[in-house]
């Protein structure tokens, strides 16, 4: 019996570089992989395809399995049983759908003893990467990633660069206990109603990435990286203000950002449609102290606060 275990991290996506552009790449974006929350999945050969467990996640994974089976190449391959040990919260800004989809597609491919399959093929099998490719490349490589966008509808975005994210730095992730970000049809509708991103804004976002954020990350310049992260995220948030109701999707998280700014912490940005907001700290001690300050404050009992590490490697795959 062949058994395959896949463990993925999550991705933070700080926003696209272009929306509705008349020319050039579409979407693109900037993001980084983090070690938690994570997806842990085990697949093994079986008599029929099945998903262990109960609840809505089982139905979701079962649909993914069927999608993979219907794609070219796996229809006649051995059946498998999938067991999910850990999952990334959905609609919180972590790219849970992409990580789960790629984990399922990878596990099924390895159970079938396929030769090395390209990232594009895996993405197509679970219909991911239609806009952002940050989560795809993050699954494969981890690290800090810049997606240059796609030119054709059937492409995935081009990975412009991938660099190591300073391993000593930490993110404190904050989110309201109630509320989710846009996804699915609501997300599609939001993009459809959004006017094209001004060329000047795309130019400024690209300048921030190329001239500030990337060099600061490579040089481990915490202050400069923090400033770039905030400036980029705020500019993207202003652009999407009509769709999400504010620069930050959650008014509660907007309050948190203001509180952090009063404390002198600059590197704060929303991930994807939120509601999760990430605050960058330059070491574990500072991150844990920041977490404790809010966890122990009754005024913030309606929110969660977690400390996470950057993830500078791709998904872990074990075959036995």
């Amino acid at each position: 019996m062949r058994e395959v275990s896949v463990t993925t991290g999550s991705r933070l996506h700080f926003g696209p570089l272009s929306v509705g552009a008349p020319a050039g790449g579409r979407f693109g974006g900037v993001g980084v992989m983090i070690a938690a929350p994570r997806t842990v999945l085990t697949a093994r050969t079986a008599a029929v395809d099945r998903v262990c467990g109960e609840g809505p996640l089982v139905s979701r994974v079962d649909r993914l399995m069927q999608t993979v089976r219907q794609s070219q190449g796996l229809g006649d391959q051995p059946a498998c049983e999938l067991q999910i040990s850990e999952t990334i919260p959905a609609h919180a800004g972590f790219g849970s759908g992409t990580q789960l989809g790629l984990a399922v597609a990878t596990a099924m491919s390895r159970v079938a003893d396929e030769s090395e399959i390209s990232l594009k093929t895996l993405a197509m099998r679970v219909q991911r990467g239609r806009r952002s490719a940050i989560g795809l490349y993050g699954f494969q490589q981890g690290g800090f990633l810049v997606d240059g966008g796609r030119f054709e509808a059937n492409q995935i975005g081009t990975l412009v660069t991938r660099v190591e994210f300073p391993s000593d730095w930490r993110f404190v992730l904050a989110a309201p206990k109630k509320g989710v970000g846009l996804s699915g049809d609501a997300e599609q509708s939001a993009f459809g109603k959004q006017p094209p991103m001004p060329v000047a804004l795309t130019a400024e976002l690209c300048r921030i990435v190329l001239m500030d954020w990337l060099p600061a990350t490579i040089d481990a310049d915490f202050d400069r990286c923090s400033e770039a992260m905030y400036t980029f995220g705020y500019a993207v948030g202003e652009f999407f203000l009509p769709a999400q109701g504010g620069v930050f999707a959650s008014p509660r998280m907007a309050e948190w950002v203001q509180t952090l700014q009063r404390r002198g912490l600059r590197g704060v940005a929303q991930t994807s449609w939120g509601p999760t907001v990430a605050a960058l700290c330059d070491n574990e001690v500072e991150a844990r102290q920041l977490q404790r300050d809010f966890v122990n404050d009754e005024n913030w009992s309606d929110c969660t606060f977690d400390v996470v590490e950057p993830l500078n490697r791709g998904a872990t795959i074990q075959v036995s």
Side-chain angles (χ1 to χ4, degrees):
M1 178 178 68
R2 178 180 290 266
E3 182 172 286
V4 179
S5 295
V6 182
T7 301
T8 80
S10 291
R11 69 101 178 94
L12 302 181
H13 194 301
F14 299 113
L17 295 168
S18 174
V19 176
R26 299 179 180 180
F27 300 109
V30 183
V32 64
M33 292 298 290
I34 53 177
R38 63 183 192 169
T39 290
V40 180
L41 175 154
T42 301
R44 57 184 65 87
T45 51
V48 295
D49 284 340
R50 65 183 296 264
V51 183
C52 298
E54 56 186 25
L57 181 62
V58 171
S59 299
R60 185 182 181 191
V61 175
D62 185 65
R63 287 194 298 272
L64 282 170
M65 292 183 74
Q66 293 178 36
T67 300
V68 173
R69 287 291 180 212
Q70 291 165 5
S71 67
Q72 183 178 4
L74 278 183
D76 298 326
Q77 297 295 339
C80 67
E81 174 185 276
L82 291 181
Q83 183 171 357
I84 314 296
S85 304
E86 296 181 40
T87 57
I88 300 168
H91 316 317
F94 296 128
S96 62
T98 295
Q99 299 307 306
L100 180 61
L102 290 178
V104 169
T106 299
M108 292 179 69
S109 174
R110 295 297 182 94
V111 165
D113 199 22
E114 285 191 300
S115 301
E116 193 70 24
I117 299 299
S118 71
L119 180 64
K120 179 180 179 180
T121 298
L122 291 172
M124 290 177 61
R125 286 180 177 179
V126 287
Q127 301 175 7
R128 307 304 301 188
R130 293 175 178 175
R131 283 183 289 271
S132 171
I134 293 292
L136 302 181
Y137 294 115
F139 177 89
Q140 183 183 58
Q141 303 181 40
F144 182 79
L145 307 139
V146 179
D147 169 12
R150 57 178 175 81
F151 287 79
E152 302 293 339
N154 62 344
Q155 289 181 324
I156 63 173
T158 300
L159 179 63
V160 173
T161 190
R162 177 266 181 205
V163 300
E164 295 278 305
F165 198 81
S167 59
D168 291 339
W169 293 358
R170 296 290 183 270
F171 290 100
V172 175
L173 305 179
K177 292 180 179 177
K178 296 182 179 180
V180 296
L182 294 177
S183 64
D185 292 341
E187 180 184 19
Q188 186 67 35
S189 176
F191 272 112
K193 295 177 181 177
Q194 194 73 25
M197 179 178 284
V199 173
L201 177 55
T202 291
E204 176 60 10
L205 294 176
C206 290
R207 186 202 64 78
I208 292 170
V209 173
L210 181 61
M211 302 305 294
D212 290 324
W213 209 346
L214 272 170
T217 301
I218 293 169
D219 294 341
D221 184 334
F222 177 78
D223 291 338
R224 190 177 172 194
C225 187
S226 297
E227 185 65 28
M229 176 176 166
Y230 176 78
T231 304
F232 184 98
Y234 196 91
V236 171
E238 282 191 314
F239 173 72
F240 283 113
L241 190 149
Q244 60 185 18
V247 172
F248 299 93
S250 164
R252 194 69 171 121
M253 290 297 95
E255 292 179 41
W256 190 61
V257 172
Q258 292 176 351
T259 302
L260 293 182
Q261 289 182 322
R262 289 194 293 269
R263 294 175 56 145
L265 199 153
R266 187 68 172 165
V268 187
Q270 178 174 291
T271 174
S272 190
W273 292 105
T276 304
V277 168
L280 184 63
C281 297
D282 67 356
N283 58 65
E284 178 86 15
V285 173
E286 289 190 9
R288 292 294 175 188
Q289 184 60 58
L290 185 67
Q291 178 193 38
R292 284 193 294 270
D293 289 347
F294 287 96
V295 168
N296 295 330
D297 186 340
E298 292 183 357
N299 293 323
W300 293 96
S301 61
D302 60 333
C303 300
T304 62
F305 302 93
D306 298 291
V307 175
V308 298
E309 302 177 10
L311 184 65
N312 283 312
R313 55 170 173 73
T316 300
I317 304 167
Q318 296 180 317
V319 182
S320 60

